[in-house]
Amino acid sequence: DQRHRVVVLGAGGVGKSSVIKRFLFGAFTPEYHETVEDLFCRQYDISGSLIKVDILDTAGNIPFPAMRRLSISTAHAFTLVYSITNVDSYKEVKELWIQIKEERRDYEKIPVVIVGNKVDLENDRIIEKFDALDWVNNDGLKGRFVEVSAKTGECINDIFRILLIQANIPTVRQ
Ligand code: GDP
Ligand code: MG
């Protein structure tokens, strides 16, 4: 058996909980409930092997830096989320990537995906896709980026597909 702990990080309000909810339950709620910390455990039978996935949903604003440090040090994979409508959340994701590289000597071996959420709000877009691509391509994150919408479900599965590829977990082809 393999156990994988996916830690979801990003500023408050970017849609971390919504992305997880969309992925796990296929649902979306417009109300905002602040997260302290939530752990979701799932088992998948992928090509005959049992894969256990723990998804850790974290708080955006970090009242406890030690909590963030702990979540970074224990992760097997990272999902770093910003909102395409919010420049501060984009800066936060860049900061997180710096912190991960500082705290994890093995960072080059850790699956990571950068997620630009809320693409359904195209009219409120602040962060252009080509700007984000320019950053990821030049910061060791090539191919590890996707724009999604938790509201519509657009590209949500790509987040996990990108992580599975890096973890060398074969995904079932149809
Ligand atoms: P978190 O603090 O990062 O966990 O963010 P939440 O998942 O709680 O979402 C914050 C707010 O943004 C909520 O009101 C959500 O309904 C809303 N939201 C989340 N994802 C999307 C999205 O893809 N599109 C739109 N329009 N709103 C979203
Ligand atoms: Mg949340």
Side-chain angles (χ1 to χ4, degrees), residues 19 93 145:
V19 163
V93 157
F145 166 68

Side-chain angles (χ1 to χ4, degrees), residues 1-4 6 23 42-54 157 160-174:
D1 291 5
Q2 291 175 276
R3 191 160 211 109
H4 300 269
V6 181
F23 175 70
R42 286 288 180 284
Q43 294 189 12
Y44 299 95
D45 187 334
I46 300 180
S47 310
S49 38
L50 192 62
I51 312 280
K52 290 178 181 163
V53 181
D54 296 343
N157 285 333
F160 299 90
R161 196 179 46 77
I162 291 168
L163 291 177
L164 285 170
I165 291 167
Q166 294 173 69
N168 280 319
I169 296 170
T171 46
V172 182
R173 290 209 182 82
Q174 267 137 12

Side-chain angles (χ1 to χ4, degrees), residues 99-110:
Q99 195 179 349
I100 288 165
K101 288 195 284 189
E102 280 171 1
E103 297 198 8
R104 296 292 299 262
R105 287 164 181 271
D106 58 341
Y107 75 89
E108 281 174 317
K109 294 184 196 129
I110 305 173

